[in-house]
Amino acid sequence: MATVTPELHKNLINGKWVEAKNGQTMQSVNPATGDVLGIVPKSGREDVATAVEAAKQAHAKWRKFPAPRRAEILYRAAEMLVQHKEDLARLMTQEMGKVLAETRGDVQEAIDMTYFIAGEGRRLHGYTTPSEMPNKAAYCIRVPLGVVGVITPWNFPMAIPSWKIIPALVCGNTVVFKPATHTPLVALRFAHILHEAGLPPGVLNVVTGDGKDVGDALVEHPDVAIISFTGSTETGLAIAEKCARAGKRVALEMGGKNAAIVMDDADLDLATNALIWSAFGTSGQRCTACSRIITQRDVKSDLTERLVERAKALRLGNGLDPNTDVGPVVSDAQLHRIHDYVQIGQREGARVLTGGARASDGALSRGWFYSPTIFDQVNPAMRIAREEIFGPVTDVIATKDLNEAVAILNSVEYGLSASIFTRDINRAMHAIDDIFTGIVYVNHGTIGAEVHLPFGGTKNTGNGHREGGLQVLDIFSEWKAVYIDYSGRLQRAQIDKD
Ligand code: ADP
């Protein structure tokens, strides 16, 4: 077979495609096959500095460009994303492994987000309100922050960047985007489309490279007004510390240890379908993946049998193959991390019902595949029940009633997504009241967020911000209160009351 030399890609800085100043490069590798898909710049601090400077210069004009006109560019980008949906999805499957149905969903989410937020170009509502004085107007408006630093993970290579970049742009900010080390090609294609749609030079810049070099430089740059980060809790908290010292804004989306409660009156067929999808979709590498199934004792063995049968039947393989249910995990390091957790679980006394090992039969040996794994006899205090594994591993935990189930669900340090399966409306409503997470589903798994609702979590999942919904605008804008006194005399608020 002829070997194809992988294409060399470049950073997007100030509307131009440029190499890293240090001339270094890194590879993007297909986790299903080990093939090199492309070469991208392994940039350094100096590239970040140039990109931030370009973004800073561009901001002066972009913030004055009317928001409806910014939105026109975004609508055009959305249309181009629709046209390129299939090739973007195929590239994404090759670059990070998840199956085509899911990568099409990832691109669709970016399309949905872009159309939804482009609509804000003609809204971006502030409000007017009466002043306490006569002959005085009062209102408030949103204003952009300046240069936004976007740092993203590899599990949703287009959806997550779109949640950040599109709202940042519509609000009038400019962006320097550092994509995940494992998914630079999708990021550069996404940027290419936004660039072709007509973004002026410097409004969106992309700098590929390592977290330590490029990410750190972006976080530490004094002209970056805010960092919007999605990734691990460890990295997110380290970024937050640096931002706090510099007085810089930061919006964090971090880990999850999501649980589904299955009550004894649940539709077990539905619960099984939803939980297999929630636990093993994207090979469990979602911040909303279901990694704890808290089930009432009466239905536990019935549910567990169904889950194990279904997990065993999942076909692992290359995500481009339409017969594949579960693709590889993203890297060798991730594979080892997952297996280490499985061994920790076994040492803690939990029992592996299915999976528990690397899958390496035939063609699978070329990539990083891990068998869908279900643990039984899990105690909520075990590490596998408390820590995020980010792989195809889920725990079954027995419970006596709803109160105990909710207490177990809430007992972890994270609070992203949760679900309950029950046919009893009272139980569902109590669960909604008492579960402390950012997202709650009833009779649905823990995954499946829609772009026009707030996305984010409580406790160590985040720092109080929400992406998605209109709430995302609060991350990327400041409020400006405006008072216009047309009385022609000094009127003192709170003092001149008569
Ligand atoms: P993931 O497992 O999703 O890669 P990480 O938190 O390690 O989670 O990475 C998320 C993003 O943060 C990636 O783009 C990564 O390169 C970047 N990153 C990693 N370390 C740092 C750092 N010290 N400063 C800024 N960004 C970083």
Side-chain angles (χ1 to χ4, degrees), residues 428-457:
M429 294 304 292
H430 284 300
I432 293 167
D433 282 350
D434 294 339
I435 288 172
F436 185 46
T437 57
I439 306 167
V440 180
Y441 294 94
V442 176
N443 292 327
H444 189 93
T446 54
I447 64 181
E450 300 179 27
V451 300
H452 53 302
L453 280 88
F455 181 94

Side-chain angles (χ1 to χ4, degrees), residues 151-154 178-181 211-212 215-216 229-232 235 239:
I151 301 178
T152 57
W154 42 265
K178 180 248 171 283
T181 322
K212 283 268 174 293
D216 260 358
F229 169 86
T230 299
S232 63
T235 305
I239 288 175

